[in-house]
Structure formats: C-alpha cells, structure tokens
Short mmCIF file of all heavy atoms in Angstrom, two decimals:
data_model
loop_
_atom_site.label_atom_id
_atom_site.label_comp_id
_atom_site.label_asym_id
_atom_site.label_seq_id
_atom_site.Cartn_x
_atom_site.Cartn_y
_atom_site.Cartn_z
N LEU A 1 -6.58 -2.38 5.92
CA LEU A 1 -5.86 -2.76 7.07
C LEU A 1 -5.12 -4.01 6.66
O LEU A 1 -5.62 -5.10 6.37
CB LEU A 1 -6.75 -2.96 8.20
CG LEU A 1 -7.52 -1.74 8.66
CD1 LEU A 1 -8.47 -2.11 9.73
CD2 LEU A 1 -6.59 -0.68 9.09
N LEU A 2 -3.73 -3.91 6.63
CA LEU A 2 -2.89 -5.12 6.35
C LEU A 2 -2.41 -5.88 7.60
O LEU A 2 -2.37 -5.28 8.71
CB LEU A 2 -1.67 -4.59 5.52
CG LEU A 2 -1.92 -3.75 4.32
CD1 LEU A 2 -0.59 -3.34 3.74
CD2 LEU A 2 -2.77 -4.44 3.34
N ASP A 3 -2.03 -7.10 7.33
CA ASP A 3 -1.41 -7.88 8.45
C ASP A 3 -0.03 -7.42 8.53
O ASP A 3 0.95 -8.16 8.10
CB ASP A 3 -1.58 -9.36 8.15
CG ASP A 3 -1.05 -10.28 9.30
OD1 ASP A 3 -0.88 -9.68 10.44
OD2 ASP A 3 -0.79 -11.43 9.15
N ALA A 4 0.14 -6.29 9.22
CA ALA A 4 1.54 -5.58 9.24
C ALA A 4 1.58 -4.76 10.49
O ALA A 4 0.51 -4.56 11.25
CB ALA A 4 1.72 -4.63 8.08
N GLY A 5 2.72 -4.30 10.81
CA GLY A 5 2.99 -3.46 11.97
C GLY A 5 3.05 -1.95 11.56
O GLY A 5 2.47 -1.56 10.65
N HIS A 6 3.88 -1.23 12.25
CA HIS A 6 3.98 0.24 12.14
C HIS A 6 4.56 0.61 10.77
O HIS A 6 4.06 1.54 10.07
CB HIS A 6 4.81 0.85 13.21
CG HIS A 6 4.94 2.36 13.20
ND1 HIS A 6 3.85 3.16 13.31
CD2 HIS A 6 6.01 3.23 13.02
CE1 HIS A 6 4.20 4.32 13.26
NE2 HIS A 6 5.51 4.46 13.06
N PHE A 7 5.59 -0.10 10.35
CA PHE A 7 6.18 0.24 8.99
C PHE A 7 5.72 -0.82 7.96
O PHE A 7 6.50 -1.70 7.47
CB PHE A 7 7.75 0.22 9.12
CG PHE A 7 8.31 1.34 9.93
CD1 PHE A 7 8.97 1.16 11.13
CD2 PHE A 7 8.13 2.69 9.49
CE1 PHE A 7 9.41 2.22 11.88
CE2 PHE A 7 8.64 3.80 10.26
CZ PHE A 7 9.25 3.50 11.39
N ALA A 8 4.52 -0.69 7.60
CA ALA A 8 3.89 -1.69 6.67
C ALA A 8 4.60 -1.82 5.34
O ALA A 8 4.69 -2.94 4.77
CB ALA A 8 2.42 -1.34 6.39
N LEU A 9 5.22 -0.78 4.89
CA LEU A 9 5.99 -0.83 3.62
C LEU A 9 7.17 -1.81 3.67
O LEU A 9 7.53 -2.34 2.62
CB LEU A 9 6.60 0.52 3.28
CG LEU A 9 5.54 1.61 2.69
CD1 LEU A 9 6.20 2.91 2.52
CD2 LEU A 9 5.02 1.06 1.46
N GLU A 10 7.71 -2.01 4.89
CA GLU A 10 8.91 -2.80 4.99
C GLU A 10 8.67 -4.27 4.60
O GLU A 10 9.44 -4.97 4.16
CB GLU A 10 9.44 -2.70 6.34
CG GLU A 10 10.05 -1.46 6.79
CD GLU A 10 11.20 -0.96 5.84
OE1 GLU A 10 11.92 -1.78 5.33
OE2 GLU A 10 11.25 0.31 5.63
N ASP A 11 7.41 -4.80 4.91
CA ASP A 11 7.13 -6.17 4.50
C ASP A 11 5.91 -6.31 3.55
O ASP A 11 5.64 -7.47 3.15
CB ASP A 11 7.01 -7.06 5.69
CG ASP A 11 5.70 -6.93 6.50
OD1 ASP A 11 5.30 -5.77 6.59
OD2 ASP A 11 5.14 -7.87 7.06
N GLN A 12 5.29 -5.24 3.26
CA GLN A 12 4.12 -5.33 2.40
C GLN A 12 4.23 -4.29 1.29
O GLN A 12 3.19 -3.73 0.76
CB GLN A 12 2.79 -4.93 3.25
CG GLN A 12 2.59 -5.87 4.40
CD GLN A 12 1.97 -7.18 4.05
OE1 GLN A 12 1.24 -7.31 2.92
NE2 GLN A 12 2.03 -8.19 4.82
N LEU A 13 5.42 -4.05 0.79
CA LEU A 13 5.60 -3.00 -0.18
C LEU A 13 4.77 -3.31 -1.53
O LEU A 13 4.08 -2.31 -2.00
CB LEU A 13 7.13 -2.95 -0.70
CG LEU A 13 7.46 -1.92 -1.76
CD1 LEU A 13 7.08 -0.50 -1.36
CD2 LEU A 13 8.95 -2.05 -2.13
N ASP A 14 4.72 -4.47 -2.01
CA ASP A 14 4.04 -4.73 -3.27
C ASP A 14 2.52 -4.44 -3.13
O ASP A 14 1.78 -3.96 -3.85
CB ASP A 14 4.27 -6.22 -3.74
CG ASP A 14 5.75 -6.36 -4.23
OD1 ASP A 14 6.40 -5.31 -4.49
OD2 ASP A 14 6.20 -7.55 -4.29
N THR A 15 2.05 -4.89 -1.97
CA THR A 15 0.57 -4.76 -1.64
C THR A 15 0.28 -3.28 -1.54
O THR A 15 -0.77 -2.72 -2.24
CB THR A 15 0.20 -5.47 -0.37
OG1 THR A 15 0.50 -6.91 -0.51
CG2 THR A 15 -1.27 -5.25 -0.06
N VAL A 16 1.04 -2.52 -0.80
CA VAL A 16 0.83 -1.06 -0.61
C VAL A 16 0.96 -0.43 -1.95
O VAL A 16 0.07 0.52 -2.26
CB VAL A 16 1.80 -0.44 0.40
CG1 VAL A 16 1.61 1.04 0.55
CG2 VAL A 16 1.57 -1.03 1.77
N ALA A 17 1.92 -0.70 -2.71
CA ALA A 17 2.12 -0.08 -4.07
C ALA A 17 0.91 -0.36 -4.96
O ALA A 17 0.52 0.48 -5.67
CB ALA A 17 3.40 -0.50 -4.69
N GLY A 18 0.39 -1.56 -4.87
CA GLY A 18 -0.70 -1.94 -5.76
C GLY A 18 -1.96 -1.14 -5.36
O GLY A 18 -2.73 -0.63 -6.23
N TYR A 19 -2.21 -1.00 -4.00
CA TYR A 19 -3.33 -0.08 -3.61
C TYR A 19 -3.17 1.35 -4.09
O TYR A 19 -4.07 2.01 -4.51
CB TYR A 19 -3.55 -0.11 -2.04
CG TYR A 19 -4.16 -1.36 -1.56
CD1 TYR A 19 -3.58 -2.14 -0.55
CD2 TYR A 19 -5.38 -1.85 -2.20
CE1 TYR A 19 -4.16 -3.26 -0.08
CE2 TYR A 19 -5.91 -3.10 -1.69
CZ TYR A 19 -5.39 -3.74 -0.65
OH TYR A 19 -5.98 -4.93 -0.19
N ALA A 20 -1.88 1.84 -3.91
CA ALA A 20 -1.62 3.18 -4.39
C ALA A 20 -1.78 3.43 -5.77
O ALA A 20 -2.47 4.37 -6.31
CB ALA A 20 -0.22 3.66 -3.96
N ARG A 21 -1.33 2.50 -6.63
CA ARG A 21 -1.47 2.65 -8.11
C ARG A 21 -3.01 2.53 -8.54
O ARG A 21 -3.45 3.32 -9.26
CB ARG A 21 -0.75 1.48 -8.73
CG ARG A 21 0.74 1.64 -8.77
CD ARG A 21 1.44 0.58 -9.72
NE ARG A 21 2.79 0.66 -9.59
CZ ARG A 21 3.56 -0.21 -8.91
NH1 ARG A 21 3.05 -1.25 -8.42
NH2 ARG A 21 4.89 -0.04 -8.92
N GLY A 22 -3.73 1.60 -7.90
CA GLY A 22 -5.15 1.48 -8.24
C GLY A 22 -5.86 2.81 -7.81
O GLY A 22 -6.68 3.27 -8.55
N PHE A 23 -5.58 3.29 -6.66
CA PHE A 23 -6.25 4.48 -6.09
C PHE A 23 -5.95 5.69 -7.00
O PHE A 23 -6.91 6.42 -7.46
CB PHE A 23 -5.73 4.73 -4.65
CG PHE A 23 -6.34 6.07 -4.07
CD1 PHE A 23 -7.62 6.11 -3.56
CD2 PHE A 23 -5.47 7.15 -4.02
CE1 PHE A 23 -8.09 7.33 -2.97
CE2 PHE A 23 -5.97 8.34 -3.47
CZ PHE A 23 -7.31 8.36 -3.02
N LEU A 24 -4.63 5.90 -7.32
CA LEU A 24 -4.25 7.03 -8.12
C LEU A 24 -4.90 6.83 -9.60
O LEU A 24 -5.24 7.83 -10.17
CB LEU A 24 -2.80 7.16 -8.25
CG LEU A 24 -2.11 7.67 -7.01
CD1 LEU A 24 -0.59 7.51 -6.97
CD2 LEU A 24 -2.55 9.04 -6.61
N GLY A 25 -4.88 5.62 -10.10
CA GLY A 25 -5.52 5.41 -11.47
C GLY A 25 -7.02 5.79 -11.44
O GLY A 25 -7.47 6.46 -12.37
N ARG A 26 -7.72 5.47 -10.34
CA ARG A 26 -9.14 5.84 -10.23
C ARG A 26 -9.36 7.33 -10.06
O ARG A 26 -10.22 8.00 -10.53
CB ARG A 26 -9.89 5.12 -9.14
CG ARG A 26 -10.09 3.56 -9.45
CD ARG A 26 -10.92 2.90 -8.33
NE ARG A 26 -10.20 2.87 -7.06
CZ ARG A 26 -9.11 2.11 -6.75
NH1 ARG A 26 -8.60 1.29 -7.63
NH2 ARG A 26 -8.76 2.12 -5.50
N VAL A 27 -8.49 7.91 -9.14
CA VAL A 27 -8.65 9.31 -8.82
C VAL A 27 -8.19 10.29 -9.86
O VAL A 27 -8.79 11.28 -10.19
CB VAL A 27 -7.98 9.62 -7.40
CG1 VAL A 27 -7.89 11.11 -7.11
CG2 VAL A 27 -8.65 8.90 -6.27
N LEU A 28 -7.10 9.90 -10.42
CA LEU A 28 -6.51 10.91 -11.38
C LEU A 28 -6.82 10.38 -12.96
O LEU A 28 -6.69 11.24 -13.79
CB LEU A 28 -4.86 10.80 -11.30
CG LEU A 28 -4.38 11.28 -9.96
CD1 LEU A 28 -2.88 11.13 -9.93
CD2 LEU A 28 -4.83 12.58 -9.69
#
C-alpha cells in the first residue's frame, strides 16, 4: 500500500516498477 491515490503509477512509477520487477524475478 503506497502513499498514493487511484492512479498510483502517475506519481509512484519507480516504486511500482521496483515491486513488479522483484515479484516477477521471484515468481519467474
């Protein structure tokens, strides 16, 4: 849960991308 609103990617892109990369690295 980020300190963000509905479109979290708009101001938290680097954070979201980091979580996605880490998750995909672990899962795949």
